[in-house]
Amino acid sequence: MWDTTSRTFQLLGMLQRNGFMASDRLASDLGVTTRTLRRDVARLRDLGYPVDTRLGVDGGYSIEPGAVLPPISLSTEEALACALALRRWTEDADRTLARSSLDKIQASMPPRVRWIVGAMAEVTVDVAADGLEPIDHAAVDIGLLGELARSCVLRRRAEFHHTSRDGTTTRRRVDPHRLVHTERRWYLVAFDLDADDWRTFRTDRVSGLVVSELPARTHTFPGMEVEEWVTRGLQVGWRQVGCTVRVHAPAASVRRWVAPAWGSVEAETPKVTLVHAGADSYDAIARWLLLMQAEVEVIEPDGLRSAFDRVAAQARRAARTDDPGGPTGAA
């Protein structure tokens, strides 16, 4: 029985590696008759593997690349890594999908490894230290990501509905290029055929995806890396206002507060740093800069100075020991 099972999965691996294979060659490579080969193919189909048959003198079998996962063998450390990754993935994906994936991985493990993974789950507690949920964060559609990735690799044209920030939904025809993951979101970088230009689409705003059999055309990507191009595009939406400030702290300590998407850091002296940054409002920038716990000088603009005045007034109201008359009381 084990020889039969081993040979069946060997057949699966051969089909996944080679695509179509003639019946005679498969039977020869496996050392079986064509009748036994047909029985092995039937076993694969019973297990849910989509094996296609081509009839005739040049007949044989094929399976779509990537249609199924081959059998895998995991070490204890690899199994624990998968389990921990799936626990983390529940923050971004459908919890039921992550749970079922973990259950299937555990079911395929040897008893000792399964026991260790179970012990890890039993004694591990997830704690949201800040208690905060991400704002405007939609769960990732795993199937959609897979189809978009397939269209990028196979260079197939795609069509879908995309909802913009203002709620307007339009039909888009694109030649997909890359998927980019950043800030707990996924983006598709593609050439928009109707706009005749490159565009970035948030995948959680994509629906009704259809990947056609039409080949994607070749388009010249702007002269930079995809990561840089996407970051610059996102900055346009995130950085509605900008500023330049002088922070009295070394650049190394300031840099950890300034992500590339929010600004840049430049050492003026070993102990003084220039920051060019932006956000959706000056008040947001003022509060963010105060988190650095260092002296800050505003170089420009005056709007940021006014924002610091508003934040300071709010802090003074919070520090009063007498009745301030509510949030609108005198500062």
Side-chain angles (χ1 to χ4, degrees), residues 24 36 51 114 144 174 200 209 237 290:
D24 291 342
T36 299
V51 182
R114 189 185 313 143
L144 175 69
V174 304
T200 301
L209 172 67
L290 289 174

Side-chain angles (χ1 to χ4, degrees), residues 51-87:
V51 182
D52 293 328
T53 302
R54 181 193 298 176
L55 301 176
V57 294
D58 60 343
Y61 303 97
S62 64
I63 189 168
E64 180 183 348
V68 292
L69 293 175
I72 56 176
S73 176
L74 299 175
S75 68
T76 302
E77 291 78 12
E78 291 170 334
L80 285 173
C82 288
L84 293 174
L86 284 168
R87 286 171 66 93

Side-chain angles (χ1 to χ4, degrees), residues 159-213:
E159 294 188 24
F160 50 79
H161 288 100
H162 183 261
T163 303
S164 62
R165 184 180 301 178
D166 63 7
T168 303
T169 300
T170 56
R171 190 70 180 171
R172 316 302 282 264
R173 299 183 307 125
V174 304
D175 287 336
H177 181 58
R178 287 288 188 276
L179 285 173
V180 176
H181 181 226
T182 181
E183 295 295 323
R184 300 184 67 178
R185 290 197 179 100
W186 287 85
Y187 296 88
L188 170 69
V189 177
F191 190 88
D192 190 314
L193 298 173
D194 296 315
D196 194 31
D197 201 359
W198 290 92
R199 292 288 187 269
T200 301
F201 303 96
R202 262 179 54 177
T203 60
D204 60 291
R205 293 176 176 170
V206 169
S207 61
L209 172 67
V210 175
V211 178
S212 74
E213 294 302 315

Side-chain angles (χ1 to χ4, degrees), residues 260-301:
W262 297 104
S264 61
V265 172
E266 174 188 350
E268 188 174 44
T269 71
K271 295 185 178 181
V272 179
T273 304
L274 290 178
V275 176
H276 309 277
D280 56 356
S281 69
Y282 288 123
D283 284 36
I285 296 176
R287 292 186 173 92
W288 161 47
L289 290 173
L290 289 174
L291 293 174
M292 297 184 188
Q293 299 184 0
E295 291 296 321
V296 176
E297 296 177 36
V298 177
I299 298 176
E300 61 176 357

